[in-house]
Amino acid sequence: MSRLPLLDLARPSRRHWLGYLLLAPAVVLIALIIIYPLIVSFDISFQKVDIVRLDRRAPFTLANYQQLFGSAEFWMSCWVTLKLVVVVTACCVALGLATALLVNNRFRGRTVARLLVALPWAVPEIIAVVIFAWIFDSSFGLMNWLFFRLGLINETINWFSDPNAAFVAVVVTMVWKGYPFVSIMALAGLQSIPEDYYNAARVDGANAWNRFTNITIPSLMPVLGVTMVLVLLWVFRDFSIINVMTGGGPLKSTQTLSIMTYEHAFGFFKMGYASAVGVVTLIFCVLASLLMIGRKADGIY
Amino acid sequence: MFEGLSRARGGLRKAGLALALSTALVAGALSPMLAAAQETTLKFVSWQNDEPGVGGWWAGLIEEFKAQHPGVEVEWTKVERAAFADTMTTLFAGGSPPDIVHLASFEFQRFANEGWLEDLGPWFDKGGVSLDGWAGQQICELNGETVCVMMLYFGYIMAYNEAILNAEGLSAPTNYAELLEVARKTTKDLNGDGIIDQYGLHHPTKVGGGQYVTEMLNYVLDAGGRWTNAEGQVTIDTPEVIEGLTRWKTIVTEGLMPRDLSSGETRQLLADGKIAVGLDGPWLVPILANGAASDDVKIVADPLSPPVGGSSNVLGMSKDISDEHKALVWDFIQLAMSDDFQSSYATLAASPAPSPRADITEATAVTPEFGLLVEGAQAASAEGIDRIPAGLEIQYNEFAKMVMEESQRMIIEDLDPAAVAATMQALAEDLQNQ
């Protein structure tokens, strides 16, 4: 021990070293799996290359970014991504909060109701997409049949051939898949609000709406804030739902930045350009997360 | 004495342990070398492992190759078609390419362009292998090199449901006008609920640009049009292509086919009697045979002329592998090209084999329509038809996506086909000049 004083992890001043040592394998692994590809991707985005070869490097260029910012397709994808993020996140939060409030009440069959609310979260994404692709099928799907029966339409809607209809189909599928997460998180948050708050408010004459806006929502905001960030990032980066249902079409009406990145990388084999799209997408994601997480939870009281 | 004996036992135990350890270490170090000496492994990645017919053919080929090359193993890995190009790109770019390269005919050009595929020309010369009459082989000639061997060149045939046509007093169409009439009369709401439940035509349009453009090509070719000419110049703004676009617009806007379905779904609908007529490749035959309406579905020659035809998939060799592996891969390719395996390809895959020397007697006995499949391939080949337009091979995926989107725009915004053709012409030329 005396020969190796530096390794004396029992000394109070060096106790935290053990923590770093234990964390080191995980940090190295994350660096290899996440950080290294990010650096490589960043590097490739400054090279005009089609298929990437790690054994060669093309000259540094800003051509990919110049092409990107001058491309109508890129701005269209940004707009579609923004629309999708706003609409899906808002719907997920509204529906998730509503169902959480519902199943937070005491009633017969509450356990079954909670199970049903959480069920879509448990269904694998690809299975959900296949189910919804059939529901929205233009020729033989359930949705057209239902709308016909209800007298809402006179001719079938081509769900995946019409830009607006395709966007709606994608939104509905994403909301169905995403709202249970909000619901589960909000339910956990609701159960942590002390009943005393409500009792005191009742004594003060607050009605249900007052209690909801002045107690429930503020108390839930820390939970909802984090949940919204997670939902937002999920919508931002989700690929499989859109790729299977519409492939980004028709006329790029559902082409998000994720789909654009994939298509240019593995459809057109333009890795340099695709990396530039990926880097910009990453920056957007980081900015969005900072905006959401940066808010002080107690600032709402 | 006991102490001495005990010490001696301890020494023996230590010596035994040391011996065992050193034996294990030496064996451990030598075993990979011994295994390497005994067994060479060729990596082969494909998407056809489980495909009915053709999967069995590949399995038989591998077994025979292994029997002819004791000590050589073929590591045959399946990758789904949807992820195939991504996976192969990653394998090549990461420096661990498969030895035997299997690619679709619309994607091999990218790999060849990167210099990843061996020029097979010298191997053919050395082996004295003749490629005369090998269907679609000219597609594998790229930048003066033979970068692959064509494994399937097909031509379209027509399948029609005789019962559906008879119910309308129609017979099998023999040209575009009759095909349109059949499609219009057989697209029906059978139960009166306001929703069409029987369609006239089968055109899968969900899979992606490549499939969409191939479906359009039926009408473009019959109208006398081509996306590009033999010299690779874009010829989309010609009256013939405009006529082809007009026909496509008619069929889609009149709702004569189910919209936004994949090829698997539309083929099953045709096989089950929900679609009257289908224009498709040889792979349709086994699907129809297992459908609910198998007794009613008949196969005849494609009424559109020339029929859609083209290359499907190719076999090649990685450039960045050892000479020993290259020699083995060449043996594998030669075996795949042998008369025996070309004949069994026709039988098992129920598709025309590219080799002119393939014996199709057994295939014809197993699949009565086989003669029609061969005629379809020959008719397309005679006109030099390929799904991949000359001069746009490298940019094919972008080209297909562009044509699909502009066609969708034509339908959604009800645009004039001539104006759409002009837009496509300009965009295709831009792609060529990139």
Side-chain angles (χ1 to χ4, degrees):
Chain A
M1 196 64 73
S2 60
R3 277 184 295 173
L4 292 168
L6 287 174
L7 294 178
D8 182 9
L9 300 175
R11 282 173 64 177
S13 62
R14 294 193 184 127
R15 235 172 246 165
H16 60 286
W17 285 24
L18 180 63
Y20 291 137
L21 274 174
L22 292 173
L23 280 174
V27 170
V28 170
L29 205 63
I30 287 171
L32 278 174
I33 294 171
I34 298 173
I35 311 290
Y36 174 68
L38 271 180
I39 293 167
V40 171
S41 183
F42 189 72
D43 184 36
I44 292 167
S45 75
F46 289 104
Q47 300 172 49
K48 194 75 182 164
V49 287
D50 288 346
I51 293 179
V52 174
R53 299 189 68 159
L54 295 178
D55 56 344
R56 315 180 182 154
R57 200 187 178 288
F60 176 89
T61 176
L62 291 172
N64 291 324
Y65 289 96
Q66 283 168 346
Q67 186 188 344
L68 187 67
F69 294 123
S71 150
E73 183 191 11
F74 169 68
W75 294 112
M76 170 89 174
S77 295
C78 287
W79 173 235
V80 170
T81 308
L82 181 69
K83 273 198 301 181
L84 204 63
V85 164
V86 171
V87 175
V88 173
T89 307
C91 290
C92 281
V93 169
L95 198 59
L97 189 58
T99 48
L101 288 168
L102 183 73
V103 296
N104 193 41
N105 291 316
R106 286 192 181 82
F107 58 92
R108 278 187 69 186
R110 185 172 73 160
T111 310
V112 177
R114 284 183 176 181
L115 184 71
L116 289 174
V117 165
L119 193 63
W121 186 249
V123 175
E125 192 162 281
I126 195 68
I127 293 175
V129 179
V130 170
I131 292 168
F132 274 87
W134 173 74
I135 288 174
F136 285 108
D137 180 77
S138 307
S139 308
F140 303 98
L142 180 70
M143 200 59 86
N144 272 338
W145 178 85
L146 195 65
F147 282 6
F148 249 96
R149 288 278 170 188
L150 295 172
L152 298 174
I153 53 173
N154 295 320
E155 58 182 32
T156 52
I157 299 170
N158 292 313
W159 288 101
F160 302 122
S161 297
D162 178 86
N164 295 325
F167 187 80
V168 169
V170 168
V171 166
V172 169
T173 309
M174 291 188 104
V175 170
W176 185 85
K177 191 74 190 79
Y179 89 86
F181 175 67
V182 181
S183 193
I184 291 163
M185 297 291 276
L187 186 60
L190 285 171
Q191 288 172 349
S192 68
I193 302 172
E195 193 59 28
D196 295 351
Y197 290 4
Y198 293 105
N199 292 334
R202 281 192 192 95
V203 170
D204 290 343
N207 60 23
W209 178 249
N210 294 144
R211 292 197 298 275
F212 176 70
T213 52
N214 293 307
I215 299 173
T216 309
I217 291 294
S219 305
L220 274 182
M221 274 319 282
V223 174
L224 281 182
V226 174
T227 307
M228 276 168 72
V229 173
L230 294 173
V231 173
L232 182 145
L233 291 177
W234 168 67
V235 179
F236 217 107
R237 65 179 171 74
D238 191 74
F239 170 78
S240 55
I241 290 178
I242 302 173
N243 192 49
V244 174
M245 289 188 87
T246 65
L251 305 182
K252 298 185 170 61
S253 59
T254 57
Q255 181 176 285
T256 57
L257 289 167
S258 311
I259 297 284
M260 187 182 169
T261 308
Y262 178 82
E263 182 157 66
H264 281 275
F266 297 110
F268 306 156
F269 297 105
K270 293 190 167 167
M271 301 286 187
Y273 186 67
S275 296
V277 184
V279 168
V280 173
T281 308
L282 177 72
I283 292 168
F284 285 166
C285 277
V286 170
L287 287 177
S289 305
L290 286 175
L291 281 174
M292 300 295 284
I293 290 176
R295 296 183 63 208
K296 293 259 183 193
D298 54 358
I300 50 180
Y301 287 103
Chain B
M1 193 179 89
F2 285 115
E3 197 180 328
L5 192 62
S6 170
R7 207 179 299 133
R9 274 183 189 160
L12 271 174
R13 200 180 297 136
K14 279 178 186 167
L17 273 170
L19 184 66
L21 188 65
S22 54
T23 307
L25 282 171
V26 169
L30 284 180
S31 60
M33 292 161 70
L34 289 170
Q38 287 168 354
E39 197 171 86
T40 302
T41 302
L42 296 183
K43 286 187 282 181
F44 175 33
V45 182
S46 176
W47 67 94
Q48 292 186 324
N49 307 38
D50 302 331
E51 281 188 19
V54 72
W57 182 78
W58 283 115
L61 178 68
I62 290 167
E63 281 309 306
E64 178 60 26
F65 176 79
K66 282 158 63 176
Q68 290 183 10
H69 298 79
V72 178
E73 190 61 39
V74 178
E75 190 182 290
W76 189 29
T77 311
K78 180 181 174 167
V79 173
E80 288 299 332
R81 183 57 247 171
F84 198 78
D86 325 4
T87 308
M88 291 295 269
T89 306
T90 310
L91 287 173
F92 273 98
S96 56
D99 299 282
I100 304 163
V101 183
H102 190 208
L103 290 164
S105 61
F106 54 81
E107 67 197 3
F108 78 85
Q109 296 88 351
R110 286 273 180 189
F111 294 82
N113 209 38
E114 288 294 319
W116 286 336
L117 301 184
E118 175 84 359
D119 178 11
L120 298 178
W123 293 89
F124 280 115
D125 294 341
K126 204 167 95 181
V129 178
S130 170
L131 283 167
D132 290 344
W134 195 273
Q137 183 57 29
Q138 72 280 2
I139 294 157
C140 282
E141 304 293 331
L142 208 70
N143 304 326
E145 291 187 352
T146 306
V147 296
C148 56
V149 176
M150 187 56 63
M151 293 309 293
L152 173 62
Y153 180 87
F154 61 87
Y156 269 23
I157 39 99
M158 181 177 82
Y160 70 96
N161 189 305
E162 195 173 38
I164 294 176
L165 266 63
N166 285 347
E168 302 298 326
L170 298 163
S171 54
T174 56
N175 54 43
Y176 169 69
E178 289 178 15
L179 183 71
L180 186 62
E181 186 195 0
V182 165
R184 281 174 172 157
K185 287 188 174 170
T186 53
T187 300
K188 298 180 92 166
D189 168 19
L190 294 174
N191 57 10
D193 65 355
I195 301 174
I196 302 292
D197 30 35
Q198 176 183 286
Y199 288 90
L201 290 168
H202 136 99
H203 285 302
T205 52
K206 193 183 177 183
V207 187
Q211 183 73 45
Y212 195 99
V213 171
T214 302
E215 297 306 318
M216 293 175 68
L217 194 57
N218 282 293
Y219 304 100
V220 171
L221 290 174
D222 187 62
R226 300 282 194 280
W227 302 125
T228 59
N229 61 19
E231 289 73 43
Q233 291 165 321
V234 181
T235 54
I236 301 179
D237 60 354
T238 56
E240 292 83 5
V241 176
I242 293 169
E243 169 61 19
L245 293 180
T246 307
R247 292 180 183 184
W248 179 250
K249 187 181 176 186
T250 303
I251 283 159
V252 178
T253 50
E254 289 190 20
L256 304 179
M257 58 185 229
R259 300 283 288 272
D260 310 317
L261 292 183
S262 68
S263 49
E265 289 165 331
T266 53
R267 283 171 193 150
Q268 196 58 50
L269 288 170
L270 180 65
D272 291 342
K274 299 283 184 189
I275 292 177
V277 177
L279 308 171
D280 209 339
W283 42 81
L284 191 60
V285 176
I287 298 169
L288 297 179
N290 295 316
S294 59
D295 292 341
D296 295 325
V297 180
K298 310 293 176 199
I299 293 173
V300 291
D302 193 334
L304 303 182
S305 178
V308 169
S311 48
S312 171
N313 59 95
V314 301
L315 201 57
M317 181 193 297
S318 282
K319 196 176 236 176
D320 298 330
I321 54 174
S322 68
D323 289 344
E324 181 206 0
H325 278 220
K326 281 183 183 175
L328 288 168
V329 173
W330 173 243
D331 285 352
F332 187 87
I333 291 173
Q334 275 190 302
L335 190 63
M337 294 176 72
S338 67
D339 293 354
D340 283 351
F341 271 94
Q342 285 296 298
S343 303
S344 66
Y345 183 87
T347 308
L348 290 172
S351 295
S355 170
R357 298 178 299 278
D359 180 1
I360 60 167
T361 313
E362 193 183 348
T364 309
V366 174
T367 310
E369 303 87 359
F370 198 83
L372 284 166
L373 305 180
V374 174
E375 283 171 25
Q378 286 172 345
S381 181
E383 295 282 341
I385 305 297
D386 191 37
R387 293 182 298 172
I388 322 294
L392 282 163
E393 293 92 347
I394 304 285
Q395 305 91 343
Y396 179 67
N397 287 354
E398 280 176 276
F399 169 76
K401 179 88 190 238
M402 179 275 289
V403 171
M404 178 180 78
E405 286 191 347
E406 294 310 317
S407 303
Q408 288 175 331
R409 201 184 311 281
M410 171 177 74
I411 291 155
I412 291 167
E413 298 175 8
D414 192 22
L415 301 176
D416 176 16
V420 173
T423 308
M424 286 181 183
Q425 174 84 17
L427 291 171
E429 285 172 349
D430 283 350
L431 280 176
Q432 272 189 331
N433 297 327
Q434 269 180 6

